[in-house]
Amino acid sequence: MQQNKLENRQMTLASRPHGAPSKENFALKLSSLPEIQDGQVLLRTVYLSLDPYMRGRMSDAESYAEPVALGATMIGGTINRVVSSKHADFSEGDWVLSYVVGWQDYGVSDGRDLVKLDPAQAPVSYALGMLGMPGFTAYMGLKDIGQPKAGETLVVAAATGPVGATVAQMGKLLGCKVVAIAGGEQKCRFALENLGVDACVDHKADDFAEQLAKACPDGIDIYFENVGGKVFDAVLPLLNTSARIPVCGTIAAYNATELPAGPDRLGLLMSTILMKRMTVKGFIIFDDYGHRYPEFAKDMAAWLAEGKMHYKEQIVDGLENAPDALRGLLEGKNFGKLVIRVGQDELL
Amino acid sequence: MQQNKLENRQMTLASRPHGAPSKENFALKLSSLPEIQDGQVLLRTVYLSLDPYMRGRMSDAESYAEPVALGATMIGGTINRVVSSKHADFSEGDWVLSYVVGWQDYGVSDGRDLVKLDPAQAPVSYALGMLGMPGFTAYMGLKDIGQPKAGETLVVAAATGPVGATVAQMGKLLGCKVVAIAGGEQKCRFALENLGVDACVDHKADDFAEQLAKACPDGIDIYFENVGGKVFDAVLPLLNTSARIPVCGTIAAYNATELPAGPDRLGLLMSTILMKRMTVKGFIIFDDYGHRYPEFAKDMAAWLAEGKMHYKEQIVDGLENAPDALRGLLEGKNFGKLVIRVGQDELL
């Protein structure tokens, strides 16, 4: 099913998932193209970012952001082209990053939420990854909460994803020993060969915890938490005194329908935080660090221009494939930053 | 059994406790008085501090400090008088605070670990409580990690103990709404009448969690963690976005011989830390903040002199009663800072 100039495809939330999201939780609706008023622009979606936080927005459990309403278009970051403009700052053909369009072909904006992109500087889709929210998350979490010092051991999971890959490479730039965790031999090889990490441990291995311990003979000083689950279980006993744990995600739990069986280790975690004098800090990137975006944008653009940051995307064609792709993302089936190509780059 | 000038009573660790410590874990040994060399002082113990951390030192489980060896004298902070001195800086009769004497009548020091006390400034035993390690713990944990702002809701447990009472009163001085938690009606009345807290909730009440929620209609911005267990369970759902949790103790777990039954809430805690963008930070006062002691000593001395800090001690007579008193402390049976009077104030 192709994007066209006559109708707007909208991927809406049909029902709330119980466990992993499935196709049945989504419904594709067709509508006519929205019309714009003075001061507005009509946007066509070229790329849609898929990110783990979207699972939370599908649920009505209490979270840090409002859930998507049933029947409403799914939210998400998109790379758009301006189709037509009644706004002085935007012209037809401009590339922009938006967070108000979401999972659909066309959207309208008054310009306030838009960030203009220069396709000559970097591929526009990078603004959904290393040059955007995931990269910014990695940057601030590692720099501000992780407080890395040269020679320290930094462990990062989901190391081939956009957050993990940024953390891993920044860690190396800052002189840390970086131990990556990824799912499967192929991802681990990628991390070793392209991200420059010192070691990569496959969390699917039967002896994962032993391998991690072996890869961290001096313990762990910083653990960048974006997955949780059995990865954190293996990390916990290896944490050093004064360890720092920035927490930006706990993907392993996003599809959980009930708490895991006991014993209850909540008190154990608190005792460990005390005895190891650890810092555990959760953050939501734009809420906590929005004011520091320029610092990130400057550093990351320079690193990319200097060839110091390797970035891998997995681009899946077709808005209709977004539900399956999101489900796979939550199971770690993606390899690199997952992006849906909703429409073609060229003007229609 | 009285302290005398001829022999030294030493309360030693006879066996490691399984669960709550009991009398059988201790053995009272008699020895002759130690002799001093040039550059040393002979110290007689007048007050011995009992503190929850001592339970950890009785165990050989991994912790932040070395365990007391079997057969060795139990460690602890003491207030001593100088019996005789071959050290230029100390004279017979001087009052000092020491951490190398421990649970015994007499000890020898080269002066390096000693802090001289002025009995005219404050009762010397205060150096074991609000003017010492517990007060310093409260001060830095609240100030540096808690980052209190006027109008915020601060919750503190064990509110009539030396750490909790300091946190509670500092919180009021800094403009917070302070909700205390204590065990029993008598302690709660004390907190309301003497510490100036806005509310006190009895954790022994059947509807403790409901009462706490009612006392915190605007949620909890700072929870000063020194107990853990069911108090933390009741606090967790009330925590606000950007809440801060300094962790200086988890007394409820110190006597535990196994983890509590499930479900396992470790992942729930991590998810909550993320979604609420919380900071949870453990600290060991002298390891993390030793360099800031002068700042504490200055502020606290001023607050005490100005009558802004109420301080309650429970003094138990006799070294032989220390084991039972420690057991009671871990069960919350003390009321105020627990101190053992080992010997008389006057020179023997």
Side-chain angles (χ1 to χ4, degrees):
Chain A
M1 209 170 93
Q2 290 287 313
Q3 196 171 50
N4 66 53
K5 296 171 77 166
L6 301 173
E7 60 188 359
N8 181 29
R9 299 171 303 161
Q10 301 171 296
M11 190 65 81
T12 63
L13 183 65
S15 60
R16 303 203 183 277
H18 183 77
S22 70
K23 273 185 177 172
E24 288 65 44
N25 299 126
F26 299 90
L28 200 63
K29 286 187 193 168
L30 296 177
S31 62
S32 53
L33 262 60
E35 291 192 4
I36 55 171
Q37 312 295 323
D38 278 350
Q40 295 185 324
V41 290
L42 178 65
L43 302 168
R44 179 173 62 81
T45 305
V46 179
Y47 298 104
L48 164 67
S49 181
L50 292 188
D51 300 279
Y53 76 84
M54 291 170 170
R55 176 62 185 84
R57 301 292 187 90
M58 298 178 74
S59 165
D60 56 5
E62 196 196 352
S63 185
Y64 53 83
E66 283 295 301
V68 174
L70 288 177
T73 301
M74 275 291 293
I75 49 81
T78 52
I79 304 296
N80 303 82
R81 293 204 82 168
V82 173
V83 175
S84 57
S85 174
K86 293 186 178 176
H87 190 296
D89 298 344
F90 299 93
S91 310
E92 189 185 330
D94 279 355
W95 286 97
V96 295
L97 166 69
S98 169
Y99 279 94
V100 295
V101 177
W103 296 33
Q104 59 184 338
D105 286 322
Y106 293 95
V108 172
S109 167
D110 62 7
R112 279 184 297 184
D113 73 297
L114 303 180
V115 178
K116 266 200 209 185
L117 302 173
D118 177 3
Q121 199 168 48
V124 286
S125 60
Y126 280 30
L128 300 175
M130 199 168 262
L131 274 170
M133 186 267 283
F136 189 28
T137 298
Y139 180 91
M140 290 311 316
L142 181 60
K143 190 169 170 177
D144 195 62
I145 304 172
Q147 301 269 347
K149 289 180 272 295
E152 287 191 323
T153 298
L154 161 68
V155 170
V156 58
T160 60
V163 176
T166 309
V167 169
Q169 294 176 95
M170 268 188 71
K172 289 309 298 176
L173 287 174
L174 298 171
C176 292
K177 171 178 174 174
V178 177
V179 176
I181 298 171
E185 198 266 330
Q186 190 192 13
K187 289 182 182 175
C188 273
R189 198 169 56 234
F190 175 86
L192 285 165
E193 292 175 359
N194 296 288
L195 306 179
V197 299
D198 297 280
C200 187
V201 183
D202 179 0
H203 67 73
K204 293 179 178 171
D206 290 336
D207 62 344
F208 162 61
E210 290 74 24
Q211 283 193 39
L212 183 66
K214 214 171 151 184
C216 304
D218 300 322
I220 299 173
D221 300 298
I222 307 167
Y223 172 57
F224 195 101
E225 175 63 298
N226 51 9
V227 295
K230 70 172 188 178
V231 170
F232 186 67
D233 295 348
V235 163
L236 188 58
L238 303 176
L239 290 164
N240 287 334
T241 293
S242 300
R244 287 84 68 198
I245 306 186
V247 184
C248 81
T250 57
I251 302 175
Y254 289 177
N255 285 335
T257 53
E258 54 185 23
L259 294 174
D264 183 7
R265 297 177 302 155
L266 184 146
L268 173 71
L269 176 56
M270 291 297 282
S271 299
T272 306
I273 290 172
L274 167 60
M275 288 195 296
K276 299 261 178 86
R277 303 153 48 197
M278 284 163 33
T279 301
V280 184
K281 188 170 167 62
F283 67 108
I284 307 293
I285 186 62
F286 284 103
D287 293 351
D288 286 298
Y289 294 110
H291 59 292
R292 293 181 68 174
Y293 190 85
E295 174 187 341
F296 155 73
K298 182 168 165 275
D299 278 354
M300 186 56 72
W303 286 333
L304 273 166
E306 292 161 18
K308 286 180 176 165
M309 284 279 168
H310 194 99
Y311 182 55
K312 180 174 175 62
E313 289 180 318
Q314 179 182 11
I315 295 185
V316 172
D317 274 311
L319 180 61
E320 64 278 16
N321 294 317
D324 272 351
L326 178 63
R327 183 189 179 112
L329 173 67
L330 294 166
E331 292 165 356
K333 288 185 176 160
N334 61 305
F335 188 4
K337 170 65 190 126
L338 187 58
V339 173
I340 300 290
R341 190 195 307 273
V342 179
Q344 63 179 55
D345 287 19
E346 293 73 30
L347 294 175
L348 290 186
Chain B
M1 208 169 96
Q2 289 289 313
Q3 197 172 49
N4 66 55
K5 297 171 79 164
L6 301 173
E7 60 188 0
N8 180 30
R9 298 171 304 161
Q10 300 172 297
M11 190 64 81
T12 64
L13 183 65
S15 60
R16 302 203 183 277
H18 182 77
S22 69
K23 275 186 175 172
E24 288 65 45
N25 300 127
F26 298 90
L28 198 63
K29 286 187 192 166
L30 295 178
S31 62
S32 53
L33 262 60
E35 291 191 6
I36 55 172
Q37 312 293 323
D38 278 349
Q40 294 184 326
V41 290
L42 178 64
L43 302 169
R44 179 173 61 82
T45 305
V46 178
Y47 297 105
L48 163 67
S49 181
L50 293 187
D51 301 281
Y53 76 85
M54 291 169 169
R55 176 63 185 83
R57 300 293 186 90
M58 297 179 73
S59 165
D60 55 6
E62 196 196 353
S63 185
Y64 54 84
E66 283 295 302
V68 174
L70 287 178
T73 301
M74 276 291 292
I75 49 80
T78 51
I79 304 296
N80 302 82
R81 293 204 82 168
V82 174
V83 175
S84 57
S85 174
K86 293 185 177 177
H87 190 299
D89 298 344
F90 298 93
S91 311
E92 190 186 330
D94 279 355
W95 284 98
V96 295
L97 166 69
S98 168
Y99 279 94
V100 296
V101 176
W103 296 32
Q104 60 183 336
D105 286 322
Y106 293 95
V108 171
S109 167
D110 62 6
R112 278 184 298 185
D113 72 297
L114 303 180
V115 178
K116 267 201 208 184
L117 302 174
D118 177 2
Q121 197 166 53
V124 287
S125 59
Y126 280 30
L128 301 174
M130 199 168 261
L131 274 171
M133 186 266 284
F136 189 27
T137 298
Y139 180 90
M140 290 311 315
L142 181 60
K143 189 169 171 177
D144 195 62
I145 304 171
Q147 302 269 346
K149 289 180 272 295
E152 288 191 324
T153 298
L154 162 67
V155 170
V156 58
T160 59
V163 176
T166 309
V167 169
Q169 293 176 94
M170 267 187 72
K172 287 310 298 175
L173 286 174
L174 298 170
C176 292
K177 171 178 175 174
V178 177
V179 176
I181 298 171
E185 199 264 333
Q186 191 192 12
K187 289 182 182 175
C188 274
R189 198 169 54 234
F190 175 84
L192 285 165
E193 292 176 358
N194 296 288
L195 307 179
V197 300
D198 297 281
C200 186
V201 183
D202 178 0
H203 66 74
K204 293 179 177 171
D206 291 336
D207 62 343
F208 162 61
E210 290 72 26
Q211 282 193 39
L212 184 65
K214 214 171 150 187
C216 303
D218 300 322
I220 298 172
D221 299 298
I222 308 167
Y223 172 58
F224 195 102
E225 174 64 298
N226 50 9
V227 296
K230 70 171 188 178
V231 171
F232 186 67
D233 296 348
V235 163
L236 188 57
L238 303 176
L239 290 163
N240 286 336
T241 293
S242 301
R244 288 84 69 198
I245 306 187
V247 184
C248 79
T250 57
I251 302 176
Y254 289 177
N255 285 333
T257 54
E258 54 185 22
L259 294 174
D264 184 7
R265 297 177 303 155
L266 184 147
L268 172 70
L269 177 55
M270 291 297 281
S271 300
T272 306
I273 290 172
L274 167 60
M275 288 193 296
K276 299 260 179 88
R277 303 154 49 199
M278 283 162 34
T279 302
V280 184
K281 188 169 167 62
F283 67 108
I284 308 293
I285 186 64
F286 284 104
D287 293 351
D288 287 297
Y289 293 109
H291 59 293
R292 294 181 68 175
Y293 190 84
E295 173 186 341
F296 154 72
K298 182 167 164 278
D299 278 354
M300 186 56 73
W303 287 332
L304 273 167
E306 293 162 19
K308 287 181 175 165
M309 284 281 170
H310 194 99
Y311 182 55
K312 180 176 175 60
E313 290 180 317
Q314 179 183 11
I315 296 185
V316 172
D317 273 311
L319 180 60
E320 65 276 16
N321 295 318
D324 273 350
L326 178 62
R327 183 191 180 110
L329 174 67
L330 293 165
E331 293 166 354
K333 289 186 177 160
N334 61 304
F335 188 4
K337 169 66 189 127
L338 187 57
V339 172
I340 300 290
R341 190 196 308 270
V342 178
Q344 63 179 56
D345 287 19
E346 293 71 31
L347 294 175
L348 290 186

